[in-house]
Amino acid sequence: MTTAFKTTYGFERRDVTIANWRTAPYSRWSFQNLREMVPTTEIRATAEEPETALDASPLLDAALETGLSGTQTARAFLDYAHTDAFVLMKKGRIVAEHYAPHAGVNARHIVFSVSKSLTALVSAVLEHQGIVDPDCPVIDLVPEAAGSAYGDCSYRDVLDMRVSLDFDEAYLNKDGAFARYRRSTLWNPSEPGAPVETLTEFLMTLQKGERPHGGPFYYASPNSDLLGILIERASGRRYADLFSELLWKPLGAKNHALVSVDGAGTARSAGGVCVTARDLARVGQMLLEEGSANGRQVVPTAWVKDMKTAGDPKAWAASQPTMLPNGRYRSKWYQSGEADGAFCAIGIHGQWLYVDPSTETVIVKLSSQPNPLDDELKQDNFAFFRALSGLSA
């Protein structure tokens, strides 16, 4: 007998497993229900205040030059790009939002590597408090890093993805280091004969690459899981508590967030955070307002300025980027390097937080895109965001 679940998703709940939760079509459900797939812990807002979506968003059905045939409106593009939740803010006000039939305004969606950028905001507050020194050696906080790639790199190398690491970010890998990485986070099922490791144990086995630290930008998610461990070691407090007290509550988030954890309770700070689209938009608006939200300084203004203006363009260019040819990377955030000053946080499977200061635009797009990367669709998204940024409020 067809259930309401199957009517909504096209499959039964029992069909979704730890082996397939990141693949289509199952991801349309699992990306908004992570706590049923892997262990999680809650990142508390001050109080849960369920929100109501806009009654209508006529802007989404108005003509828009997206650059793609068959997607001459924003809503058509959102459907084309596997969108679950979308929020468009102009000058601090939500002017349009969209939720797929299987999604909703209060659904907490995994944001994958946008988690890295959020973790960096927590680090920023700790830096302002004098608890974190971005120039300190990693080994000062994590002594067991001796002998690993992290044994002679700095906290800043970790923040800016300039650690020399013998590691390949191969999302579809099934039998190498990346598969071990996923098993250590409990994101993949265990394999007979494979080592059983915690996330921290896995990180400490990674070795240095051939180049020195501080060279070209080299994207490797383990760096950002290490960042979560670093802020815990520096502060003596748990990741979820730091996130809640230093970012989520001061921001005025309306829904509790989640983060996945491994078997030892270590947070997946590189990719396991789950938030609502509206709360993520609040993060973008806070950065647009130089770190301020609701009349309160959440993230230091000096840090926001550094994030938006620093970052070595030569280090970025040396990585032979497939996007943002004039870009930079600083403190887990991507800078466009263009005149509009746009910057963004990006996660696999189509997760985006895009901020255009020149037009006071914040865009959140949370998705269940089947291909983890899809460079062509990434370029389509950039063009779409630029078109939306150019619209009048």
Side-chain angles (χ1 to χ4, degrees), residues 283-299:
V283 173
Q285 186 64 31
M286 179 265 293
L287 292 173
L288 193 59
E289 296 180 13
E290 305 301 327
S292 176
N294 306 310
R296 176 178 180 177
Q297 198 68 38
V298 180
V299 176

Side-chain angles (χ1 to χ4, degrees), residues 69-187:
S69 61
T71 61
Q72 279 79 34
T73 68
R75 197 182 304 277
F77 181 90
L78 293 171
D79 289 341
Y80 156 79
H82 312 284
T83 307
D84 298 323
F86 167 84
V87 172
L88 173 63
M89 294 183 72
K90 292 278 189 175
K91 302 183 188 302
R93 183 173 64 90
I94 296 175
V95 297
E97 61 185 330
H98 167 87
Y99 298 95
H102 58 271
V105 65
N106 294 299
R108 293 175 291 194
H109 196 291
I110 188 169
V111 294
F112 290 106
S113 289
V114 174
S115 306
K116 298 173 171 65
S117 307
L118 299 175
T119 301
L121 298 179
V122 179
S123 175
V125 180
L126 292 173
E127 180 183 340
H128 179 70
Q129 294 176 348
I131 294 171
V132 160
D133 175 5
D135 295 320
C136 80
V138 164
I139 200 169
D140 285 1
L141 295 171
V142 186
E144 63 267 41
S148 77
Y150 300 112
D152 62 345
C153 74
S154 71
Y155 195 108
R156 171 54 65 190
D157 291 328
V158 171
L159 276 172
D160 290 350
M161 292 288 191
R162 297 178 72 177
V163 175
S164 175
L165 199 61
D166 183 14
F167 180 82
D168 184 17
E169 190 92 355
Y171 295 106
L172 302 180
N173 175 275
K174 295 183 179 180
D175 55 10
F178 200 85
R180 276 181 56 210
Y181 177 38
R182 284 277 171 83
R183 288 196 297 271
S184 77
T185 66
L186 304 183
W187 280 26

Side-chain angles (χ1 to χ4, degrees), residues 52 89 100 149 155 167 189 250 261 263 276 323 330 360 377:
T52 302
M89 294 183 72
Y155 195 108
F167 180 82
V261 295
T276 68
M323 63 177 188
R330 183 69 165 179
E360 298 182 67
L377 183 52

Side-chain angles (χ1 to χ4, degrees), residues 27 48 73 142 168 255 285 316 319-320 323 339 352 360 385:
S27 56
E48 285 260 85
T73 68
V142 186
D168 184 17
N255 278 275
Q285 186 64 31
W316 177 259
S319 70
Q320 300 180 323
M323 63 177 188
W352 293 85
E360 298 182 67
F385 299 151

